[in-house]
Amino acid sequence: MQWGLEVIRGNAAPRIMELYDTIVLGREPGVEMRVIDPSASRRHASISRTKDQTGWILIDLNSSNGTFLNGEKVQQHRIRPGDIIQIGDTHLRLFDVREGQRQTVILGGAPSESTAAAQHTRPSPANALIGSSPTLQRLRQQIETIAKTEATVLICGPTGSGKELAARMLHDFSPRKKGPFQAINCAAIPPNFVESELFGHEKGAFTGADRLKPGKFELAAAGTLFLDEIGEMPMEAQAKLLRALETKSVERIGGTRTVPVDVRFITATNRDLMAEMRRGNFREDLYYRLCVATLHMPALSEHIEDVEELVAHFLGPQTTRHVTPAAMDLLRAYPWPGNVRELKNVLEAASLHAAEGSIEPSHVHAVLAQRTPQPPPEPAASNRTPPTVDATSLRESERRSILAALQATAWNKSAAARRLGISRPTLHKKIKEYELKP
């Protein structure tokens, strides 16, 4: 029997894993399952094989608030699939991997040679969108409900908010999950190649067409076809796409034969397609064909409480780096115009600044400052422009992080400076600059 552990309530990363060797659960960076819960100790509990190697045992590591198994506080207890482990407000369930038929991320020790190839398996659908906020919980419920239908779906949301992840979840939760998932970004393809990518072409259809090429519609047969940035599609291709959707068939460029296609169709956009319709850039009949069901992907600012869980996920359970509380305050205060994708990129860049040490506010500031657009040359005084929104946001996020550090240390300036990773004189200067008061 191969066992797994999954998060069913609360914040922990990863949210699902298989058990191969001893794992430690707790708040400490670098443990196999990091429990992001103020009630959890740094090294709260462990799960190890029994001495006879026939099962697993849960051990409390002298935690402050105790470890609970099926509602009962335990110090050491044998566990089995179906058991619920509780650490603070975080609940984890043990399950039989083969019985659950789950796709898992394998962590917590070296697997056997026969399972080594599974280390890069895609996370389970429930793990595709990271976060436990009410906003993401509602979104997951919507996805699960819509996925069970054959409805065409339009996913709307800002850049970097995870639209393709949502599309993959729609596929993975659907009856078509065993079929292929084909994706195409309409903004990344030259306009004159869009039709060839979608519908395919016959050999000799145009210069350079030295072989028959099936399009994405055919490659996605019995599965899902995802078109990202649908608002970038040329008008001529829009007309042919509408016909393909209505007739459930395509005709390759240069061909004369109609090819039947059976696909679940999902599109995504960061544009206001209604406004594009009014401008004459998007077909009205295609729009209403695409939005049989719609999903709104929230900006990161709409579920900012998920930042800590996202940080733990992006850094990974095996990282030696740690984000200091003050740096985390700064990450939570920043408005994230680039959403989850920007957060991931900032963490990667901050990790380089931090080398092997902790990620401090100074490392985050260094990265964010590079991303803030430089103001234009200063015009005449009578025509002076205000600071850019991004620069203002960066200053505001710095002010909030400093104030949060001061409040967290009861205005002990030495402690606040250490928390922020800056010198005490620099902190005094910042307090004066931002006119901060207890």
Side-chain angles (χ1 to χ4, degrees):
M1 179 187 294
Q2 181 58 55
W3 291 15
L5 185 66
E6 67 173 338
V7 181
I8 59 175
R9 177 182 170 184
N11 296 341
R15 296 190 67 81
I16 187 169
M17 66 190 301
E18 286 188 26
L19 301 177
Y20 285 98
D21 203 349
T22 298
I23 68 165
V24 174
L25 304 91
R27 287 190 297 109
E28 183 176 88
V31 300
E32 286 75 16
M33 180 169 275
R34 191 177 181 200
V35 181
I36 308 166
D37 188 317
S39 300
S41 297
R42 292 181 65 82
R43 295 175 69 84
H44 194 105
S46 68
I47 297 176
S48 306
R49 284 195 181 276
T50 55
K51 290 182 179 179
D52 59 9
Q53 300 291 303
T54 61
W56 295 84
I57 189 167
L58 173 67
I59 303 172
D60 181 81
L61 301 177
N62 298 317
S63 65
S64 299
N65 297 307
T67 301
F68 294 80
L69 180 65
N70 300 324
E72 297 290 333
K73 189 174 182 178
V74 298
Q75 181 62 40
Q76 184 170 309
H77 205 284
R78 193 173 178 120
I79 52 179
R80 61 184 181 183
D83 283 346
I84 303 297
I85 298 170
Q86 183 179 351
I87 296 175
D89 291 327
T90 303
H91 292 66
L92 309 108
R93 186 179 73 89
L94 288 145
F95 64 91
D96 182 340
V97 172
R98 289 169 296 182
E99 183 179 302
Q101 295 181 335
R102 297 171 182 272
Q103 290 177 301
T104 58
V105 180
I106 298 175
L107 298 164
S112 64
E113 184 177 348
S114 62
T115 58
Q119 289 192 6
H120 302 289
T121 304
R122 193 169 71 230
S124 70
N127 193 34
L129 292 171
I130 304 299
S132 302
S133 64
T135 299
L136 282 196
Q137 289 178 16
R138 286 192 297 271
L139 179 60
R140 288 193 194 96
Q141 290 173 355
Q142 278 185 289
I143 289 173
E144 288 189 50
T145 300
I146 295 173
K148 296 170 185 175
T149 73
E150 282 289 307
T152 299
V153 185
L154 175 63
I155 305 173
C156 302
T159 298
S161 58
K163 294 188 288 294
E164 183 167 351
L165 284 177
R168 287 187 177 274
M169 288 177 70
L170 285 166
H171 173 74
D172 289 340
F173 276 119
S174 77
R176 294 174 174 266
K177 61 186 177 183
K178 293 184 180 179
F181 177 91
Q182 290 287 327
I184 182 172
N185 187 330
C186 299
I189 302 173
N192 54 322
F193 283 101
V194 170
E195 292 180 37
S196 174
E197 287 293 320
L198 281 176
F199 311 122
H201 61 251
E202 299 285 349
K203 181 178 179 180
F206 49 82
T207 303
D210 56 355
R211 58 185 175 84
L212 182 150
K213 177 189 174 184
K216 292 290 187 180
F217 265 96
E218 292 181 68
L219 295 174
T224 301
L225 176 57
F226 172 57
L227 267 63
D228 199 3
E229 304 299 351
I230 187 68
E232 305 289 339
M233 180 173 283
M235 288 293 285
E236 185 177 352
Q238 290 180 33
K240 294 184 178 180
L241 175 60
L242 176 63
R243 178 174 174 78
L245 291 174
E246 291 179 338
T247 64
K248 298 185 186 302
S249 64
V250 296
E251 189 174 296
R252 301 188 192 112
I253 296 175
T256 57
R257 185 172 65 90
T258 299
V259 181
V261 290
D262 170 29
V263 299
R264 169 76 177 279
F265 200 73
I266 301 173
T267 58
T269 183
N270 62 0
R271 290 192 176 194
D272 181 346
L273 292 187
M274 294 289 284
E276 294 300 313
M277 284 163 46
R278 290 192 291 271
R279 297 187 189 103
N281 296 330
F282 202 82
R283 292 179 64 104
E284 183 176 357
D285 47 6
L286 178 59
Y287 172 79
Y288 290 112
R289 184 66 180 78
L290 297 178
C291 66
V292 176
T294 58
L295 281 174
H296 169 71
M297 296 300 297
L300 180 54
S301 59
E302 296 177 55
H303 58 111
I304 201 69
E305 62 268 43
D306 289 323
V307 162
E308 192 166 352
E309 191 171 348
L310 285 162
V311 168
H313 172 74
F314 290 141
L315 291 181
Q318 308 301 331
T319 184
T320 58
R321 293 184 179 87
H322 167 61
V323 179
T324 66
M328 190 67 73
D329 290 340
L330 177 56
L331 293 173
R332 279 191 289 260
Y334 189 66
W336 299 112
N339 298 293
V340 176
R341 183 183 298 136
E342 183 185 14
L343 172 62
K344 181 180 180 181
N345 292 340
V346 166
L347 282 173
E348 290 175 351
S351 295
L352 296 177
H353 283 277
E356 292 300 318
S358 296
I359 296 177
E360 304 281 354
S362 58
H363 303 137
V364 177
H365 275 301
V367 177
L368 294 179
Q370 293 173 355
R371 292 164 179 263
T372 303
Q374 294 297 314
E378 197 168 282
S382 60
N383 193 33
R384 184 167 296 174
T385 57
T388 65
V389 174
D390 284 341
T392 302
S393 299
L394 187 58
R395 281 181 54 80
E396 176 61 17
S397 67
E398 182 180 53
R399 187 192 73 80
R400 289 180 184 176
S401 66
I402 291 172
L403 181 58
L406 288 165
Q407 291 173 338
T409 58
W411 282 77
N412 181 320
K413 294 174 185 176
S414 295
R418 287 195 298 271
R419 186 181 177 97
L420 290 163
I422 59 178
S423 66
R424 186 182 169 97
T426 299
L427 177 60
H428 274 291
K429 179 181 176 182
K430 292 294 182 181
I431 290 173
K432 185 177 180 180
E433 177 183 346
Y434 291 117
E435 300 180 349
L436 300 176
K437 297 179 181 179

PDB file of all heavy atoms in Angstrom, residues 365-387:
ATOM      1  N   HIS A 365      12.992  45.054  -1.916  1.00  0.00           N
ATOM      2  CA  HIS A 365      13.000  46.432  -2.411  1.00  0.00           C
ATOM      3  C   HIS A 365      13.890  46.560  -3.642  1.00  0.00           C
ATOM      4  O   HIS A 365      13.553  47.260  -4.603  1.00  0.00           O
ATOM      5  CB  HIS A 365      13.503  47.387  -1.322  1.00  0.00           C
ATOM      6  CG  HIS A 365      12.439  47.836  -0.378  1.00  0.00           C
ATOM      7  ND1 HIS A 365      11.312  48.505  -0.778  1.00  0.00           N
ATOM      8  CD2 HIS A 365      12.332  47.702   0.968  1.00  0.00           C
ATOM      9  CE1 HIS A 365      10.559  48.775   0.269  1.00  0.00           C
ATOM     10  NE2 HIS A 365      11.141  48.286   1.343  1.00  0.00           N
ATOM     11  N   ALA A 366      15.048  45.900  -3.602  1.00  0.00           N
ATOM     12  CA  ALA A 366      15.986  45.995  -4.729  1.00  0.00           C
ATOM     13  C   ALA A 366      15.341  45.495  -6.015  1.00  0.00           C
ATOM     14  O   ALA A 366      15.519  46.080  -7.086  1.00  0.00           O
ATOM     15  CB  ALA A 366      17.246  45.196  -4.418  1.00  0.00           C
ATOM     16  N   VAL A 367      14.569  44.412  -5.910  1.00  0.00           N
ATOM     17  CA  VAL A 367      13.910  43.855  -7.099  1.00  0.00           C
ATOM     18  C   VAL A 367      12.768  44.746  -7.551  1.00  0.00           C
ATOM     19  O   VAL A 367      12.636  45.060  -8.741  1.00  0.00           O
ATOM     20  CB  VAL A 367      13.390  42.429  -6.800  1.00  0.00           C
ATOM     21  CG1 VAL A 367      12.650  41.879  -8.019  1.00  0.00           C
ATOM     22  CG2 VAL A 367      14.540  41.516  -6.425  1.00  0.00           C
ATOM     23  N   LEU A 368      11.936  45.177  -6.603  1.00  0.00           N
ATOM     24  CA  LEU A 368      10.782  46.002  -6.969  1.00  0.00           C
ATOM     25  C   LEU A 368      11.211  47.341  -7.558  1.00  0.00           C
ATOM     26  O   LEU A 368      10.565  47.860  -8.471  1.00  0.00           O
ATOM     27  CB  LEU A 368       9.877  46.221  -5.755  1.00  0.00           C
ATOM     28  CG  LEU A 368       9.182  44.978  -5.198  1.00  0.00           C
ATOM     29  CD1 LEU A 368       8.332  45.344  -3.987  1.00  0.00           C
ATOM     30  CD2 LEU A 368       8.313  44.320  -6.263  1.00  0.00           C
ATOM     31  N   ALA A 369      12.307  47.897  -7.037  1.00  0.00           N
ATOM     32  CA  ALA A 369      12.789  49.176  -7.553  1.00  0.00           C
ATOM     33  C   ALA A 369      13.204  49.064  -9.014  1.00  0.00           C
ATOM     34  O   ALA A 369      13.004  49.988  -9.811  1.00  0.00           O
ATOM     35  CB  ALA A 369      13.963  49.680  -6.704  1.00  0.00           C
ATOM     36  N   GLN A 370      13.777  47.912  -9.386  1.00  0.00           N
ATOM     37  CA  GLN A 370      14.177  47.698 -10.782  1.00  0.00           C
ATOM     38  C   GLN A 370      12.966  47.598 -11.705  1.00  0.00           C
ATOM     39  O   GLN A 370      13.047  47.914 -12.885  1.00  0.00           O
ATOM     40  CB  GLN A 370      15.002  46.418 -10.902  1.00  0.00           C
ATOM     41  CG  GLN A 370      16.356  46.496 -10.215  1.00  0.00           C
ATOM     42  CD  GLN A 370      17.061  45.149 -10.209  1.00  0.00           C
ATOM     43  OE1 GLN A 370      16.505  44.141 -10.639  1.00  0.00           O
ATOM     44  NE2 GLN A 370      18.276  45.121  -9.696  1.00  0.00           N
ATOM     45  N   ARG A 371      11.820  47.156 -11.151  1.00  0.00           N
ATOM     46  CA  ARG A 371      10.635  46.963 -11.966  1.00  0.00           C
ATOM     47  C   ARG A 371       9.786  48.218 -12.057  1.00  0.00           C
ATOM     48  O   ARG A 371       8.855  48.271 -12.850  1.00  0.00           O
ATOM     49  CB  ARG A 371       9.783  45.828 -11.373  1.00  0.00           C
ATOM     50  CG  ARG A 371      10.455  44.480 -11.496  1.00  0.00           C
ATOM     51  CD  ARG A 371       9.838  43.431 -10.600  1.00  0.00           C
ATOM     52  NE  ARG A 371      10.529  42.164 -10.804  1.00  0.00           N
ATOM     53  CZ  ARG A 371      10.093  41.208 -11.613  1.00  0.00           C
ATOM     54  NH1 ARG A 371       8.968  41.360 -12.270  1.00  0.00           N
ATOM     55  NH2 ARG A 371      10.778  40.100 -11.773  1.00  0.00           N
ATOM     56  N   THR A 372      10.067  49.206 -11.223  1.00  0.00           N
ATOM     57  CA  THR A 372       9.291  50.439 -11.255  1.00  0.00           C
ATOM     58  C   THR A 372       9.729  51.274 -12.439  1.00  0.00           C
ATOM     59  O   THR A 372      10.911  51.597 -12.567  1.00  0.00           O
ATOM     60  CB  THR A 372       9.506  51.245  -9.958  1.00  0.00           C
ATOM     61  OG1 THR A 372       9.148  50.424  -8.845  1.00  0.00           O
ATOM     62  CG2 THR A 372       8.660  52.509  -9.954  1.00  0.00           C
ATOM     63  N   PRO A 373       8.801  51.634 -13.339  1.00  0.00           N
ATOM     64  CA  PRO A 373       9.181  52.427 -14.514  1.00  0.00           C
ATOM     65  C   PRO A 373       9.868  53.730 -14.107  1.00  0.00           C
ATOM     66  O   PRO A 373       9.466  54.378 -13.152  1.00  0.00           O
ATOM     67  CB  PRO A 373       7.831  52.725 -15.192  1.00  0.00           C
ATOM     68  CG  PRO A 373       6.904  51.665 -14.689  1.00  0.00           C
ATOM     69  CD  PRO A 373       7.362  51.365 -13.292  1.00  0.00           C
ATOM     70  N   GLN A 374      10.942  54.060 -14.795  1.00  0.00           N
ATOM     71  CA  GLN A 374      11.638  55.310 -14.511  1.00  0.00           C
ATOM     72  C   GLN A 374      10.780  56.488 -14.956  1.00  0.00           C
ATOM     73  O   GLN A 374      10.174  56.462 -16.033  1.00  0.00           O
ATOM     74  CB  GLN A 374      12.976  55.349 -15.267  1.00  0.00           C
ATOM     75  CG  GLN A 374      13.968  54.303 -14.779  1.00  0.00           C
ATOM     76  CD  GLN A 374      14.353  54.530 -13.341  1.00  0.00           C
ATOM     77  OE1 GLN A 374      14.645  55.648 -12.939  1.00  0.00           O
ATOM     78  NE2 GLN A 374      14.345  53.472 -12.548  1.00  0.00           N
ATOM     79  N   PRO A 375      10.694  57.540 -14.135  1.00  0.00           N
ATOM     80  CA  PRO A 375       9.894  58.696 -14.545  1.00  0.00           C
ATOM     81  C   PRO A 375      10.497  59.356 -15.770  1.00  0.00           C
ATOM     82  O   PRO A 375      11.715  59.298 -15.986  1.00  0.00           O
ATOM     83  CB  PRO A 375       9.964  59.615 -13.319  1.00  0.00           C
ATOM     84  CG  PRO A 375      11.193  59.182 -12.586  1.00  0.00           C
ATOM     85  CD  PRO A 375      11.337  57.716 -12.843  1.00  0.00           C
ATOM     86  N   PRO A 376       9.689  59.976 -16.618  1.00  0.00           N
ATOM     87  CA  PRO A 376      10.200  60.639 -17.823  1.00  0.00           C
ATOM     88  C   PRO A 376      11.016  61.872 -17.445  1.00  0.00           C
ATOM     89  O   PRO A 376      10.974  62.327 -16.293  1.00  0.00           O
ATOM     90  CB  PRO A 376       8.908  61.043 -18.568  1.00  0.00           C
ATOM     91  CG  PRO A 376       7.886  61.169 -17.476  1.00  0.00           C
ATOM     92  CD  PRO A 376       8.239  60.125 -16.465  1.00  0.00           C
ATOM     93  N   PRO A 377      11.804  62.414 -18.387  1.00  0.00           N
ATOM     94  CA  PRO A 377      12.559  63.626 -18.100  1.00  0.00           C
ATOM     95  C   PRO A 377      11.629  64.702 -17.559  1.00  0.00           C
ATOM     96  O   PRO A 377      10.516  64.880 -18.046  1.00  0.00           O
ATOM     97  CB  PRO A 377      13.142  64.016 -19.471  1.00  0.00           C
ATOM     98  CG  PRO A 377      13.181  62.724 -20.225  1.00  0.00           C
ATOM     99  CD  PRO A 377      12.002  61.943 -19.755  1.00  0.00           C
ATOM    100  N   GLU A 378      12.097  65.422 -16.556  1.00  0.00           N
ATOM    101  CA  GLU A 378      11.228  66.385 -15.888  1.00  0.00           C
ATOM    102  C   GLU A 378      10.933  67.550 -16.806  1.00  0.00           C
ATOM    103  O   GLU A 378      11.837  68.226 -17.297  1.00  0.00           O
ATOM    104  CB  GLU A 378      11.909  66.871 -14.605  1.00  0.00           C
ATOM    105  CG  GLU A 378      10.958  67.541 -13.646  1.00  0.00           C
ATOM    106  CD  GLU A 378      11.595  67.730 -12.290  1.00  0.00           C
ATOM    107  OE1 GLU A 378      11.674  66.769 -11.520  1.00  0.00           O
ATOM    108  OE2 GLU A 378      12.027  68.875 -12.016  1.00  0.00           O
ATOM    109  N   PRO A 379       9.641  67.827 -17.082  1.00  0.00           N
ATOM    110  CA  PRO A 379       9.292  68.943 -17.964  1.00  0.00           C
ATOM    111  C   PRO A 379       9.348  70.270 -17.212  1.00  0.00           C
ATOM    112  O   PRO A 379       9.731  70.323 -16.037  1.00  0.00           O
ATOM    113  CB  PRO A 379       7.858  68.594 -18.383  1.00  0.00           C
ATOM    114  CG  PRO A 379       7.317  67.831 -17.212  1.00  0.00           C
ATOM    115  CD  PRO A 379       8.484  67.084 -16.643  1.00  0.00           C
ATOM    116  N   ALA A 380       8.906  71.318 -17.888  1.00  0.00           N
ATOM    117  CA  ALA A 380       8.854  72.625 -17.253  1.00  0.00           C
ATOM    118  C   ALA A 380       7.951  72.561 -16.036  1.00  0.00           C
ATOM    119  O   ALA A 380       7.018  71.760 -15.972  1.00  0.00           O
ATOM    120  CB  ALA A 380       8.320  73.664 -18.246  1.00  0.00           C
ATOM    121  N   ALA A 381       8.199  73.468 -15.055  1.00  0.00           N
ATOM    122  CA  ALA A 381       7.467  73.419 -13.792  1.00  0.00           C
ATOM    123  C   ALA A 381       5.969  73.509 -14.000  1.00  0.00           C
ATOM    124  O   ALA A 381       5.192  72.867 -13.306  1.00  0.00           O
ATOM    125  CB  ALA A 381       7.942  74.549 -12.887  1.00  0.00           C
ATOM    126  N   SER A 382       5.524  74.290 -14.984  1.00  0.00           N
ATOM    127  CA  SER A 382       4.090  74.476 -15.202  1.00  0.00           C
ATOM    128  C   SER A 382       3.435  73.254 -15.796  1.00  0.00           C
ATOM    129  O   SER A 382       2.228  73.123 -15.810  1.00  0.00           O
ATOM    130  CB  SER A 382       3.862  75.680 -16.130  1.00  0.00           C
ATOM    131  OG  SER A 382       4.519  75.438 -17.374  1.00  0.00           O
ATOM    132  N   ASN A 383       4.274  72.329 -16.331  1.00  0.00           N
ATOM    133  CA  ASN A 383       3.719  71.149 -17.002  1.00  0.00           C
ATOM    134  C   ASN A 383       4.201  69.852 -16.345  1.00  0.00           C
ATOM    135  O   ASN A 383       4.272  68.818 -16.964  1.00  0.00           O
ATOM    136  CB  ASN A 383       4.138  71.169 -18.485  1.00  0.00           C
ATOM    137  CG  ASN A 383       3.353  70.173 -19.305  1.00  0.00           C
ATOM    138  OD1 ASN A 383       2.183  69.927 -19.004  1.00  0.00           O
ATOM    139  ND2 ASN A 383       3.996  69.603 -20.314  1.00  0.00           N
ATOM    140  N   ARG A 384       4.555  69.969 -15.060  1.00  0.00           N
ATOM    141  CA  ARG A 384       5.152  68.834 -14.360  1.00  0.00           C
ATOM    142  C   ARG A 384       4.124  67.741 -14.138  1.00  0.00           C
ATOM    143  O   ARG A 384       2.995  68.007 -13.748  1.00  0.00           O
ATOM    144  CB  ARG A 384       5.727  69.296 -13.023  1.00  0.00           C
ATOM    145  CG  ARG A 384       6.453  68.224 -12.256  1.00  0.00           C
ATOM    146  CD  ARG A 384       7.257  68.810 -11.121  1.00  0.00           C
ATOM    147  NE  ARG A 384       8.306  69.685 -11.645  1.00  0.00           N
ATOM    148  CZ  ARG A 384       9.087  70.430 -10.848  1.00  0.00           C
ATOM    149  NH1 ARG A 384       8.928  70.418  -9.544  1.00  0.00           N
ATOM    150  NH2 ARG A 384      10.024  71.198 -11.391  1.00  0.00           N
ATOM    151  N   THR A 385       4.530  66.493 -14.402  1.00  0.00           N
ATOM    152  CA  THR A 385       3.625  65.358 -14.212  1.00  0.00           C
ATOM    153  C   THR A 385       3.830  64.752 -12.836  1.00  0.00           C
ATOM    154  O   THR A 385       4.920  64.799 -12.284  1.00  0.00           O
ATOM    155  CB  THR A 385       3.898  64.266 -15.272  1.00  0.00           C
ATOM    156  OG1 THR A 385       5.270  63.889 -15.171  1.00  0.00           O
ATOM    157  CG2 THR A 385       3.597  64.763 -16.664  1.00  0.00           C
ATOM    158  N   PRO A 386       2.771  64.171 -12.261  1.00  0.00           N
ATOM    159  CA  PRO A 386       2.903  63.548 -10.943  1.00  0.00           C
ATOM    160  C   PRO A 386       3.703  62.265 -11.046  1.00  0.00           C
ATOM    161  O   PRO A 386       3.918  61.742 -12.138  1.00  0.00           O
ATOM    162  CB  PRO A 386       1.443  63.259 -10.556  1.00  0.00           C
ATOM    163  CG  PRO A 386       0.734  63.118 -11.872  1.00  0.00           C
ATOM    164  CD  PRO A 386       1.412  64.069 -12.801  1.00  0.00           C
ATOM    165  N   PRO A 387       4.162  61.702  -9.916  1.00  0.00           N
ATOM    166  CA  PRO A 387       4.895  60.431  -9.946  1.00  0.00           C
ATOM    167  C   PRO A 387       4.038  59.343 -10.549  1.00  0.00           C
ATOM    168  O   PRO A 387       2.805  59.393 -10.497  1.00  0.00           O
ATOM    169  CB  PRO A 387       5.175  60.150  -8.458  1.00  0.00           C
ATOM    170  CG  PRO A 387       5.013  61.471  -7.763  1.00  0.00           C
ATOM    171  CD  PRO A 387       4.002  62.214  -8.563  1.00  0.00           C
TER     172      PRO A 387
END
